[in-house]
Amino acid sequence: MIHDPNRIYVFDTTLRDGEQVPGCQLTTSEKVEIAKELELLGVDVIEAGFPISSPGDFESVVQISKAVNNPIVCALTRANQKDIDAAVQSLQYAKHPRIHTGIGSSDMHIKYKFNSTRQDILQRGVDAVKYAKKYVEDIEFYAEDAGRADNAFLAQMIEAVIAAGATVVNIPDTNGYCLPHQYGAKIKYLMDNVQNIDKAIISVHCHNDLGLATANSLAGIVNGARQVECTINGIGERAGNTSLEEIVMVLKTHQSLGKHTHINTKRFYDLSAKVSSMMHMPVQPNKAIVGKNAFAHSSGIHQDGFLKHRENYEIINPEDIGLDQSEIILTARSGRHALKHHLERLGYLAEKINLDEIYERFLAVADRKKEIKDDDLLLLMGADTKSNYKDGVTIKLLQVMCGDPLIPTSIVKLDMKDGIHEATSSGNGPVDATIKAINKIIEKEVIIKDFHIDAIHGGSDDVSKVNMRIIYNDKNYTGYGFSSDIVQASANAYLDAVNKFI
Ligand code: KIV
Ligand code: ZN
């Protein structure tokens, strides 16, 4: 095999370092589901768990080993035989097994965690690697708290574990303490001072206590590390780990670094949302790459510049991370250019409207509301959403059955150009059943991308407003509907969007 020195291996620890965060625990089948997604994403290593820690973790490593084919499946241990035995057993079905064993390397850990000496700790690390090597060829050694370890001792330890058989040496900044130049220098020191470093790959594993995890990982890579340990959305102990999507996009965006991964970045957005919802860990809106606002432009100056040329205000194409478009948010700080953009999107022809006059009215509304949505714009334009599409498809009848123990079912009659059509469908809920029944009639391949329900005042007798964005033939269409019946409001919004292309 030709060895590519510029390939950076991606080691995902969402299911180990990420999953150990309180509230993030997953069932075995959920972990398997995420592991399969990680395989599709193209990660090189999946750290599947810490088998000795619980029967659940053990079982997860077993099931993930069975479920994935391409990535290495890795199990964590401490530097003792009992942990290693459990890891070996849990990895019995892995096509490419790896044991990740290790011990503390900073004087702080040696003294206050192990109450031991440097020499004893080094020997325990070597013994663990030798023991694991009897069962598994691929052994990764972690020198815990390497960020605060003395470089000369760290180099001695790393040289000894490589001689004992370690194939990968992990230099964790366990406490997120290092500054990027310090961490980079540490990796360079090891590259320069560990005699047998060419026999192993250096891995970086950085925590985010000072918000420097991605910067530190990058500094490590620039100085010779060839594996990066990270998690989806940067979840992990305390302030988290290096975020997988950030470090991969840094390398992709800065091609001058000459480093690349085998990650399919187009899967980022959906996988981030999946991990966030399964682990009950919301993604902060301003999170780099996958945050809700990462591709949303809200100030007038930025919106104008963005609309003139996307790259004025975007260094990443949203399609590269799986988002089909950027967002121009209409607020009181938006200018005419952004307003015109949205009106055109809603079907108003620029030459037929008096933009200055509409902009004055827009500002009056925007001053009272945080964000102006499509339905606000339609009202502003004096549109009655129903009469917008006089020739379009309208609902003649909508009847739903739902509630425990019924299977949600919807009967829909649509008034179309060529007469009345009827369909019945079941679904996950009444809205899903209704959309499916409509789809049976219109026979179009439509994907719903966004679906927002708002109550106008609050209260069970309230009017619901539904905003929807759908994709048909690779184009976006938005729809708006309202009704005191939430299913009817959803059907109205769906047809409002559908009528724009049908
Ligand atoms: O942060 C750390 O040091 C770890 C090791 C167990 C690899 O997670
Ligand atoms: Zn860690």
Side-chain angles (χ1 to χ4, degrees):
M1 196 175 65
I2 299 167
H3 153 77
D4 175 358
N6 292 320
R7 158 118 183 249
I8 301 299
Y9 296 98
V10 176
F11 175 117
D12 179 275
T13 184
T14 306
L15 299 175
R16 199 280 297 169
D17 224 342
E19 206 255 355
Q20 67 198 39
V21 172
C24 283
Q25 275 65 43
L26 299 174
T27 61
T28 296
S29 64
E30 286 171 328
K31 286 191 198 173
V32 168
E33 192 177 331
I34 291 184
K36 286 184 178 163
E37 290 287 343
L38 291 170
E39 179 169 33
L40 292 172
L41 185 70
V43 305
D44 300 285
V45 187
I46 296 175
E47 188 161 47
F50 180 15
I52 194 84
S53 68
S54 73
D57 247 42
F58 183 94
E59 184 57 16
S60 299
V61 179
V62 172
Q63 295 307 331
I64 290 171
S65 298
K66 288 182 179 171
V68 302
N69 295 314
N70 297 322
I72 292 168
V73 177
C74 178
L76 185 80
T77 83
R78 290 164 297 189
N80 67 57
Q81 296 193 356
K82 232 168 110 204
D83 280 29
I84 295 170
D85 289 340
V88 170
Q89 229 192 319
S90 70
L91 287 169
Q92 62 187 299
Y93 300 104
K95 287 90 190 169
H96 313 283
R98 177 181 292 177
I99 288 183
H100 190 190
T101 190
I103 198 158
S105 61
S106 64
D107 287 334
M108 171 84 74
H109 276 213
I110 292 171
K111 188 160 175 214
Y112 296 110
K113 187 171 159 186
F114 296 101
N115 189 21
S116 186
T117 61
R118 285 184 177 184
Q119 249 357 84
D120 173 57
I121 290 295
L122 188 151
Q123 194 55 49
R124 279 160 69 175
V126 167
D127 290 347
V129 171
K130 281 191 178 155
Y131 185 73
K133 193 81 178 176
K134 287 192 206 165
Y135 306 100
V136 173
E137 174 49 35
D138 189 4
I139 308 296
E140 176 167 337
F141 176 83
Y142 64 87
E144 198 182 7
D145 202 20
R148 293 189 295 175
D150 171 64
N151 283 351
F153 172 65
L154 185 63
Q156 209 189 332
M157 186 182 221
I158 294 303
E159 193 166 305
V161 295
I162 294 175
T167 43
V168 179
V169 284
N170 177 9
I171 313 301
D173 185 19
T174 304
N175 292 292
Y177 172 75
C178 289
L179 298 173
H181 70 279
Q182 294 169 336
Y183 190 71
K186 192 174 280 285
I187 301 299
K188 182 164 172 14
Y189 183 89
L190 297 175
M191 290 294 286
D192 293 343
N193 292 282
V194 173
Q195 298 302 313
N196 51 4
I197 198 67
D198 58 317
K199 306 263 178 325
I201 286 177
I202 294 187
S203 184
V204 288
H205 177 117
C206 299
H207 280 265
N208 205 29
D209 299 65
L210 291 173
L212 293 171
T214 302
N216 282 343
S217 296
L218 178 64
I221 289 171
V222 167
N223 282 283
R226 288 175 41 222
Q227 176 178 281
V228 58
E229 309 199 359
C230 40
T231 59
I232 300 291
N233 298 337
I235 59 162
E237 281 283 331
R238 308 180 308 280
N241 288 57
T242 300
S243 141
L244 188 153
E245 55 282 2
E246 287 176 19
I247 190 69
V248 169
M249 288 314 290
V250 168
L251 301 180
K252 190 175 163 85
T253 306
H254 287 274
Q255 305 236 332
S256 59
L257 292 169
K259 306 289 178 197
H260 62 271
T261 68
H262 282 193
I263 295 294
N264 177 0
T265 62
K266 288 195 192 301
R267 303 188 79 89
F268 278 160
Y269 199 76
D270 287 349
L271 184 52
S272 158
K274 180 170 227 163
V275 168
S276 164
S277 93
M278 277 171 123
M279 289 191 158
H280 311 292
M281 268 296 243
V283 177
Q284 72 191 60
N286 58 332
K287 162 92 176 60
I289 319 294
V290 289
K292 181 174 164 286
N293 294 348
F295 294 92
H297 305 271
S298 53
S299 87
I301 295 174
H302 285 212
Q303 291 177 336
D304 180 57
F306 170 84
L307 289 167
K308 284 177 176 148
H309 183 62
R310 186 187 67 76
E311 287 173 29
N312 279 337
Y313 285 98
E314 273 182 2
I315 57 162
I316 295 170
N317 187 334
E319 287 176 8
D320 284 352
I321 63 119
L323 247 189
D324 35 61
Q325 60 179 4
S326 312
E327 224 188 322
I328 303 280
I329 297 173
L330 282 180
T331 69
R333 284 176 304 286
S334 298
R336 286 173 179 71
H337 201 164
L339 176 63
K340 179 170 160 266
H341 163 80
H342 278 287
L343 290 174
E344 284 177 350
R345 193 179 49 78
L346 290 172
Y348 292 93
L349 298 173
E351 57 274 21
K352 294 207 173 157
I353 56 177
N354 179 343
L355 190 60
D356 286 338
E357 187 260 325
I358 295 165
Y359 186 64
E360 287 308 310
R361 285 196 277 131
F362 161 79
L363 282 184
V365 181
D367 269 338
R368 280 182 276 119
K369 294 192 83 175
K370 274 195 184 142
E371 198 183 323
I372 300 293
K373 300 262 180 65
D374 285 354
D375 50 318
D376 301 308
L377 279 184
L378 289 170
L379 282 176
L380 195 77
M381 298 304 288
D384 162 358
T385 47
K386 261 195 177 156
S387 62
N388 258 349
Y389 302 103
K390 283 195 203 76
D391 298 331
V393 179
T394 53
I395 298 176
K396 194 85 186 145
L397 173 123
L398 170 58
Q399 203 177 347
V400 287
M401 282 165 289
C402 57
D404 203 16
L406 297 176
I407 294 172
T409 306
S410 176
I411 304 169
V412 172
K413 276 190 194 170
L414 295 184
D415 194 350
M416 299 178 75
K417 259 190 196 148
D418 58 346
I420 307 287
H421 295 255
E422 178 175 338
T424 302
S425 179
S426 55
N428 269 342
V431 172
D432 184 47
T434 301
I435 302 288
K436 284 185 171 142
I438 294 176
N439 283 346
K440 274 190 182 173
I441 301 173
I442 62 171
E443 293 179 331
K444 302 275 181 226
E445 286 279 322
V446 176
I447 301 166
I448 298 183
K449 281 308 261 193
D450 292 326
F451 185 101
H452 295 288
I453 303 180
D454 286 314
I456 290 180
H457 306 293
S460 58
D461 59 345
D462 202 354
V463 173
S464 302
K465 297 195 298 180
V466 174
N467 279 287
M468 221 183 255
R469 182 164 66 87
I470 63 175
I471 295 188
Y472 173 67
N473 263 353
D474 290 336
K475 285 210 178 105
N476 283 277
Y477 298 90
T478 52
Y480 166 69
F482 69 90
S483 167
S484 54
D485 178 330
I486 206 161
V487 184
Q488 182 77 52
S490 307
N492 289 348
Y494 189 62
L495 280 182
D496 186 34
V498 164
N499 272 320
K500 292 175 182 166
F501 61 79
I502 208 162

